[in-house]
Amino acid sequence: MVLLEGEAGIGKTALLQEFAGRAGAGCRVLWGWCEALFTPRPLGPLQDMAQALDPEVAALLDQGAAPERLFPALLSALQHAKGTTVLVFEDVHWADNATLDLIRYLGRRISVLHAMLVLSARSDELVADHPLTHIRGDLPAASLTRISLKPLSPQGVMTLAEQSDRAGADLYQITGGNPFFVSELLASSEAEPGHIPDSIRDAVWSRLSRLTGGEREVLEMMSIEPGSVEPWLIRALLGAKADALVDRCVARGLLRRDALGALTFRHELARQATLERLSPSLQRSLHGKVEAAIAGLPAAQASAQLARRVHHAAAADNGARVLDLAPQAAEQAARLGAHREAAAHLATALRYIAQAPPAEAAQLYESWAYEAGLALQVYDTIIEARHNAIQIWREHGRPDKVSLNLRSLSRLHWRRGEGEQAEHFANEAVSEVENLPPGPELAMAYSTCSQLHMLHYRFDEAIEWGLRAITLADRLGEVETRVHALNNVGTSLLFDDRPGGRERMEESLALALEHGFHDHAARAYTNYAEYAVVSKDFALAERLLSEGIVFAARHDLDSPAQYLLGRQAQLRMEQGRFRDAETIAQGVMKLERLPVVMHLPALTVLGRVRVRLGEGGGPALLQQALEEGLPTGELQRIVPVRMALTEAAWLAEDRAAGHEQLTALAAMDLANFRPSDLGELAVWWRRCGMEEPLPAPTTRIPWRRAVELGGDPSTAAKEWERLGLPYEAALALMQVRGADAPMALASAVTRLEAIEARPAAMLARKLAQRLGIAGRLPKMRRGPYTAARQHPLGLTQHEQQVLALIAEGKSNKEVARTLSRSPRTVEHQVSAVLGKFNAANRMEVLLRLRGEPWLLSTAAP
């Protein structure tokens, strides 16, 4: 990939044209443009080049196919193309959201294609919050080259001036070396010094003033179109004289014709300067004529240009046309995954909301709120739009629509950590439709209530509401609602140690995968894997996390992937593999703009691991996690962090800090704690010497915690060891007293030092000294710890060497030659790597490495 950056007029297009002219016979160069429409065309560059690229891709574009069908088809076309394909995306600073998704999709795979993706962008448009700046950070650094074009030198400007037989003494100072400014001023009859934008405007206007009326009419008509203008459109607007006038403008160097005959200004700044000459009324008239001309095309062609038509209808201030076209354009954009553009189209329509009939206005508010909720972070405005929709739907007797919007309000308030409002609106959503004949809205309202109760660990209520949703969904044949509700019920049963949870979670996951409900499948992997980690079923956790992370990477579900990686870090921490846990958690936390809830598992693990390793910053990270978790009001975001802060205080022998955290935990609703959390709280209550008894029932405490509380920590340690939790085993051994204490403490110290748990090891030694048995402990280790590192996925050293060479793109034969191994051996080792990655092929391994570079950090050939 190449990203070509520079200010407007710096020569990006000229460089690309020269590059294309020098490309070898084995290269085909395809061009596409992003345009400065009010709302960009979805996948504009791909639409421009589709016919020349592949018939199947073109057909999918015409059908408005969703990205999950369109993007793989494009990838397949590039993989099977002969020679090298160069895709040029010009002016990506105007790219729509779907095009940015396509750039990210291709960028992650470009290293395995015989292709080059060239992007040009104006650097002065790329402000800090521009979407393209976010995309740059997501692209693999090894596959991306950035070229920043510089202005012409003073000597270069002087040479151009001399070639034009013009004085160039002040030209560089006036233009700053911008090639377009220089060329435009040199082409002008006058080159007056002054501010650069004024000079360019004066130069363009000076040239326009010397043209014939017909030539000016062509340029004025074209100036309202941000992108290229097709010959048929010029003919439709100007009639039979159009071709001759266009030819004269091209000959004068004012316009440029591409290979397909489409026309553009020689530079965008010239178009803008021309547009400035037009009165507002003339601009509106021309926009209206262009929209009408496009509307006169055959239905399929007119439909394919909906975004363009919305732009011109809005610029013509034709509210009726905008209200008709914008929802259609939004639906088209949404099908392509361009939700930001869909929201923009609907926002354009909202400018004319006063002209819309009430029901149409309500639907506009509702549709915009949905698309904006997916793509934007403007919750206050979205909530206001939902309330507006609710008010209108109430007035028109549509309780089903009222319920839908109330349910969405519940979700919005939940995302903002406003638990009371979330539950209020969820209950209102049910009340609104429960007295009507049962329908899909009631079923999903039931499931939404179930989900909220589940998230807050009110498992009885979650199960009750979820079963209601399942019963109604089955009666109505609503598979998606069944999937959603099965997840809620299954998760509740699992975390409350009740039977039937696994079966429901397995069914929810299987149905989601079968029906292509990607979000629901990712949610099932997430909840089920978290249960497996918490219940210490590490074999199940390894399977679910491996499958879930691969699934998320395969479908570009970045946020769920990072959440699952946070749970994988938690698993490695429980296994005593602190360095692996730290590496994974750090990788997640380095990603910018990840939603808070999605990075909280990794943040909590990172803080806890650093506390256990005795490295700086652990308590501060945990305090950050607590501050981010408290507004959610969810026990799952709060309890683990307070437990970790309690452990940190205990290791530091800070009695007051530990008691503060335990007191805060005891003040919560202990009846809603998961049994695993309740058991951990009871153990820390005992270890920290709390004077008052824990106000919680002991019958729900898991037996491995109960045996320590009952005075048999040795048995608890054996169980932790059997399950594969060396740190928990060592902490249990530190609680042994009496004649067995010396052997137990010696064993604890050995385990803790083996996994680099320095603070706990030091505390065990202090305890032995206080008990007068320090001499019976193993000698204190000196120098750095040398604990053996494991690969996060369990790759052997030989397999790690093979992985590193796979990442370099080497074939099996090249790997065998590099490592001096037989082809049969390498074939088996490559197969083992694919198996441990749970990958179907090498490309899926490469995709995992892009998202999880730490998997390669220990793999050296």
Side-chain angles (χ1 to χ4, degrees), residues 48-62:
D48 290 338
M49 63 179 66
Q51 291 292 344
L53 179 64
D54 183 77
E56 182 183 356
V57 173
L60 288 172
L61 270 173
D62 289 341

Side-chain angles (χ1 to χ4, degrees), residues 659-740:
H659 286 200
E660 178 185 352
Q661 295 299 329
L662 290 169
T663 300
L665 284 165
M668 301 173 77
D669 188 355
L670 298 181
N672 283 334
F673 272 42
R674 298 178 297 191
S676 57
D677 292 332
L678 194 60
E680 188 175 1
L681 172 59
V683 164
W684 282 114
W685 195 273
R686 168 77 62 84
R687 290 172 182 174
C688 292
M690 296 293 284
E691 296 177 359
E692 299 294 327
L694 179 64
T698 58
T699 55
R700 296 177 59 235
I701 293 177
W703 78 267
R704 50 184 168 261
R705 295 291 189 187
V707 293
E708 178 179 331
L709 294 170
D712 189 5
S714 294
T715 298
K718 290 177 183 177
E719 177 63 11
W720 291 125
E721 193 69 34
R722 184 187 70 81
L723 291 170
L725 287 86
Y727 187 78
E728 288 291 351
L731 294 194
L733 287 170
M734 290 173 64
Q735 314 310 312
V736 175
R737 297 294 181 266
D740 294 333

Side-chain angles (χ1 to χ4, degrees), residues 315-354:
D317 198 24
N318 188 335
R321 294 296 284 164
V322 171
L323 289 170
D324 177 43
L325 296 171
Q328 300 177 52
E331 183 180 354
Q332 186 181 78
R335 283 199 305 270
L336 293 168
H339 295 290
R340 186 180 299 273
E341 282 61 49
H345 283 307
L346 294 165
T348 301
L350 286 174
R351 287 160 39 190
Y352 301 95
I353 194 74

Side-chain angles (χ1 to χ4, degrees), residues 754-824:
I755 59 175
E756 301 184 69
R758 298 177 181 85
M762 289 298 298
L763 185 59
R765 289 185 180 278
K766 289 180 183 178
L767 180 58
Q769 190 171 17
R770 292 166 191 163
L771 295 174
I773 55 174
R776 302 175 65 177
L777 266 57
K779 291 183 179 180
M780 186 176 296
R781 300 181 63 168
R782 303 292 182 186
Y785 285 69
T786 57
R789 293 293 303 278
Q790 292 180 276
H791 190 274
L793 298 184
L795 271 62
T796 67
Q797 187 63 39
H798 284 174
E799 290 164 356
Q800 291 179 49
Q801 293 171 342
V802 169
L803 173 62
L805 296 173
I806 289 175
E808 293 177 11
K810 294 188 181 297
S811 66
N812 283 10
K813 289 183 179 179
E814 292 171 325
V815 172
R817 192 181 313 117
T818 301
L819 298 177
S820 300
R821 298 175 191 165
S822 72
R824 180 66 63 92

